[in-house]
């Protein structure tokens, strides 16, 4: 009997009524290690109802008590993150150091949320009109849904739920079916930290579970990270149901390398940002735009470094793990086939990598293309694998136009020693997150994370002050204490005096 990863409802594991499951596989071996429950509509409603029932008491819990739970959760997470990293590696495939890195970045949002009392302060105006005072408060929305992707099973949920919970909301997390166990581990940690039952819940499943979150009237807001087509669907469906939505979509991140750049630094950055986590990052650099006559040297330096990458089991001394599923591995390999047929130069071919891992693992090594043109599918599509394309252009203006003409606008970078060029790029580029000699410009938790154009549907980015805004509603309260002898009828519109 293979173990079944269940839901988490009202402070305990919940099997649900549905008998449907999906396999959970170790990508480094190809072995099915368990099954994950796929919720029925009724199962989803049970989990959502637990969040709704828990909301009034958690909303009314003092900020002092809420932050005490947040601090305890942060300490437990810090003490035991090696356990969580091992779970992520076993189900996602990324190497342990990378798994620890994603947990640490998620923990930064927990730490940010520990300061929620200051962040939730409203305003107060005394005597705005004669003997009339006005103050504002930020109140929680209610139960909220978080639909997270496979590539960051810990960090992406932690972009949202620490702030949501700290602000007084209750949460239902719907993790990816590919790596569902991290969310259950986090639920158990919340319980150990003293979070009341029903405040943090986990709903396993597929489209049935997602659709119930998007349409159930008890859920007041949806946070989503995934591909652009699904982000569009989530946004359209949930907003039609009257919910707030932040739906972060796909990416095609470019890095411009100017002729004056330090090419060793740029080559290191392209390898790290292009092949880290097997390219399964929404902030991965997938296009290196070489400006002027530096392309040959840049490609040679990237190739030299990429050849040293050890692809293998994430629990070994590997640099890069497998892709998450066999189907995804084959899809990425199909793009490599297409790029070769389209006429791009295959400088480094990862299709036949000799991996340090199981014979049935989902392996594809670092792949580098040169002489890529914007009409090729390896340029236009989000591949989400270890495939880096080099596009050659003559000028900065041509490079900038490539980025601004692209439908995605998630992240970008420029490598240069020219401060004027860097400042101009930061001003002119139409992308939400920009790096200057920084290849993966993921901001700290006190800044917002999010892209532009087809990389975001909705008005609010993740975490930072935008996260506070997203998970609260502002209420303005106008107060007057009257002398009992003063009164009278006045049907006119209220005027300030």
């Amino acid at each position: 009997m293979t173990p079944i990863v269940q839901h988490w409802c009202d402070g305990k594991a919940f099997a649900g009524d549905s008998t449907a499951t999906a396999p959970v596989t170790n990508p480094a071996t190809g072995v099915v290690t368990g099954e994950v429950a796929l919720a029925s509509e009724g199962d989803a409603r049970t989990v959502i109802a637990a969040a709704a029932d828990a909301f009034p008491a958690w909303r009314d819990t003092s900020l002092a008590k809420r932050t005490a739970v947040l601090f305890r959760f942060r300490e437990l997470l810090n003490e035991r993150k090696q356990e969580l990293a091992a779970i992520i590696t076993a189900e996602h495939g990324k190497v342990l150091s990378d798994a620890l890195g994603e947990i640490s970045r998620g923990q930064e949002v927990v730490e940010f949320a520990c300061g929620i009392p200051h962040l939730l302060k409203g305003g107060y105006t005394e005597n705005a009109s004669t003997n009339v005072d006005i103050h504002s408060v930020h109140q929680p929305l209610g139960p909220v849904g978080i639909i997270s992707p496979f590539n960051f099973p810990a960090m992406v949920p932690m972009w949202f739920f620490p702030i949501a919970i700290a602000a007084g909301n209750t949460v239902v997390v719907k993790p990816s079916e590919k790596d569902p166990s991290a969310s259950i581990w986090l639920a158990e940690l919340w319980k150990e930290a003293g979070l009341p039952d029903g405040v943090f819940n986990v709903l396993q499943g597929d489209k049935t579970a997602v659709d119930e979150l998007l349409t159930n009237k008890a859920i007041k807001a949806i946070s989503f990270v995934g591909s652009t087509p699904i982000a569009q669907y989530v946004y359209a469906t949930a907003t039609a149901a009257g919910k707030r939505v932040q739906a972060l979509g796909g990416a095609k991140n470019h890095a411009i390398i100017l002729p004056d750049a330090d090419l060793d630094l740029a080559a290191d950055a392209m390898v790290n940002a292009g092949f880290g986590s097997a390219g399964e990052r929404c902030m991965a650099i997938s296009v290196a735009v070489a400006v002027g006559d530096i392309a040959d040297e840049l490609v040679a330096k990237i190739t030299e470094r990429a050849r040293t990458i050890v692809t293998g089991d994430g629990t070994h001394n590997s640099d890069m793990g497998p892709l998450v599923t066999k189907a995804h591995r084959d899809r990425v390999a199909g793009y490599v086939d297409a790029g070769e047929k389209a006429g791009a130069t295959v400088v480094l071919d990862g299709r036949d990598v000799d991996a340090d891992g199981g014979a049935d693992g989902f392996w594809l090594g670092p792949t580098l293309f040169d002489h890529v043109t914007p009409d090729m599918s390896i340029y236009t599509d989000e591949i989400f694998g270890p495939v880096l394309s080099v596009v050659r252009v003559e000028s900065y203006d041509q490079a900038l136009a490539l980025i601004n003409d692209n439908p995605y606008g998630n992240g970008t970078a420029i490598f240069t020693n020219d401060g004027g060029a860097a400042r101009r790029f930061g001003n002119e580029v139409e992308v939400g997150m920009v790096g200057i000699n920084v290849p993966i410009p993921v901001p700290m938790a006190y800044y917002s994370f999010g892209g532009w154009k087809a990389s975001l549907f909705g008005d609010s980015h993740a975490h930072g002050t935008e996260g506070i805004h997203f998970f609260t509603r502002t209420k303005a309260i106008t107060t007057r204490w009257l002398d009992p002898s003063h009164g009278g009828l006045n049907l006119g519109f209220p005027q300030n005096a």
Side-chain angles (χ1 to χ4, degrees):
M1 294 289 292
T2 56
I4 296 179
V5 183
Q6 297 181 335
H7 318 284
W8 185 269
C9 178
D10 202 22
K12 56 185 178 296
F14 170 59
D17 296 328
S18 173
T19 58
T21 62
V24 179
T25 306
N26 185 331
T29 63
V31 173
V32 175
T33 57
E35 299 283 329
V36 59
L38 299 179
S40 65
E41 191 175 87
D43 295 336
R45 289 175 179 173
T46 298
V47 175
I48 291 169
D53 291 344
F55 172 65
W58 184 243
R59 173 198 61 203
D60 295 338
T61 298
S62 72
L63 284 169
K65 290 181 179 178
R66 283 191 227 155
T67 52
V69 174
L70 262 290
F71 272 106
R72 180 58 180 151
F73 178 81
R74 186 266 177 200
E75 291 305 304
L76 290 171
L77 179 64
N78 195 50
E79 291 167 8
R80 295 169 48 190
K81 56 187 172 184
Q82 294 282 353
E83 297 175 27
L84 181 56
I87 291 170
I88 294 169
T89 296
E91 292 184 351
H92 174 276
K94 65 178 65 177
V95 300
L96 282 169
S97 60
D98 197 29
L100 283 167
E102 83 158 271
I103 296 165
S104 296
R105 294 309 304 265
Q107 184 176 309
E108 292 170 3
V109 185
V110 179
E111 293 163 354
F112 173 78
C114 285
I116 203 75
H118 173 72
L119 298 168
L120 287 182
K121 288 190 304 184
Y124 188 92
T125 300
E126 183 181 30
N127 216 37
S129 186
T130 304
N131 296 324
V132 173
D133 306 325
I134 304 175
H135 72 279
S136 64
V137 293
H138 302 295
Q139 295 185 330
L141 306 177
V144 299
I146 298 169
I147 304 168
S148 63
F150 74 84
N151 60 325
F152 288 103
M155 184 184 74
V156 167
M158 281 196 281
W159 281 350
F160 306 110
F161 69 65
I163 296 172
I165 289 172
N169 302 280
T170 55
V171 167
V172 177
V173 175
K174 208 302 286 182
S176 169
E177 313 93 280
K178 297 178 180 68
D179 42 15
S181 298
S183 290
I184 297 298
W185 188 92
L186 289 165
E188 293 170 343
L189 202 72
W190 273 119
K191 187 174 182 69
E192 187 175 342
L195 190 70
D197 294 345
V199 176
F200 185 89
N201 307 275
V202 179
L203 177 63
Q204 309 286 5
D206 51 17
K207 188 174 185 296
T208 299
V210 169
D211 284 347
E212 187 61 31
L213 285 171
L214 300 184
T215 58
N216 191 298
K217 65 180 182 180
I219 297 293
K220 305 304 180 185
I222 293 289
S223 301
F224 170 86
V225 177
S227 69
T228 286
I230 304 302
Q232 289 176 303
Y233 172 79
V234 166
Y235 181 76
T237 306
T239 53
K243 304 181 193 307
R244 287 188 180 183
V245 182
Q246 47 183 184
L248 283 69
K252 194 69 179 182
N253 303 320
H254 296 57
I256 295 176
I257 298 93
L258 293 184
D260 71 309
D262 181 327
L263 293 188
D264 288 312
L265 171 67
D268 287 343
M270 293 306 96
V271 172
N272 295 338
F275 304 129
S277 196
E280 293 174 327
R281 293 172 175 159
C282 63
M283 290 296 286
I285 292 295
S286 54
V287 180
V289 184
V291 179
D293 60 0
I294 62 167
D296 287 344
E297 185 179 359
L298 177 66
V299 169
K301 288 179 179 292
I302 293 173
T303 305
E304 177 187 9
R305 288 157 171 77
R307 288 190 190 279
T308 68
I309 292 175
V310 177
T311 303
D313 190 319
T315 62
H316 300 174
N317 291 322
S318 302
D319 302 308
M320 190 182 89
L323 296 179
V324 69
T325 63
K326 184 179 186 303
H328 185 52
R329 184 267 169 208
D330 292 346
R331 174 182 175 274
V332 175
Y335 273 107
V336 180
D337 296 340
E340 186 175 29
K341 290 177 183 176
T345 303
V346 184
V347 181
L348 195 62
D349 191 339
R351 287 171 290 190
D352 299 317
V353 65
D354 182 15
D356 180 17
D360 295 323
F362 311 138
W363 307 112
L364 195 141
T367 299
L368 177 64
F369 280 105
D370 193 7
H371 302 286
V372 174
T373 57
D375 60 319
M376 297 177 181
S377 63
I378 55 172
Y379 177 83
T380 59
D381 296 358
E382 183 181 28
I383 299 173
F384 223 63
V387 180
L388 178 64
S389 296
V390 176
V391 176
R392 299 174 178 230
V393 299
E394 293 299 319
S395 68
Y396 164 86
D397 288 332
Q398 290 176 324
L400 179 69
L402 278 177
I403 299 174
N404 287 349
D405 290 344
N406 196 275
Y408 298 108
N410 204 46
T412 190
I414 188 169
F415 287 82
T416 180
N417 285 312
D418 185 333
R423 189 177 187 279
R424 179 182 170 189
F425 181 72
N427 179 59
E428 295 177 340
V429 73
E430 296 173 9
V431 173
M433 292 171 284
V434 181
I436 309 296
N437 297 319
V438 174
I440 306 180
V442 177
M444 295 293 290
Y446 39 84
Y447 285 89
S448 62
F449 180 102
W452 290 10
K453 299 185 284 191
S455 296
L456 175 71
F457 299 87
D459 298 322
S460 295
H461 290 178
H463 58 67
T465 55
E466 290 201 35
I468 302 294
H469 172 76
F470 183 79
F471 287 116
T472 60
R473 293 182 293 185
T474 301
K475 181 182 288 182
I477 301 172
T478 304
T479 304
R480 178 171 59 192
W481 296 106
L482 294 176
D483 183 326
S485 64
H486 179 75
L489 296 177
N490 184 350
L491 302 188
F493 194 80
Q495 298 185 39
N496 295 325

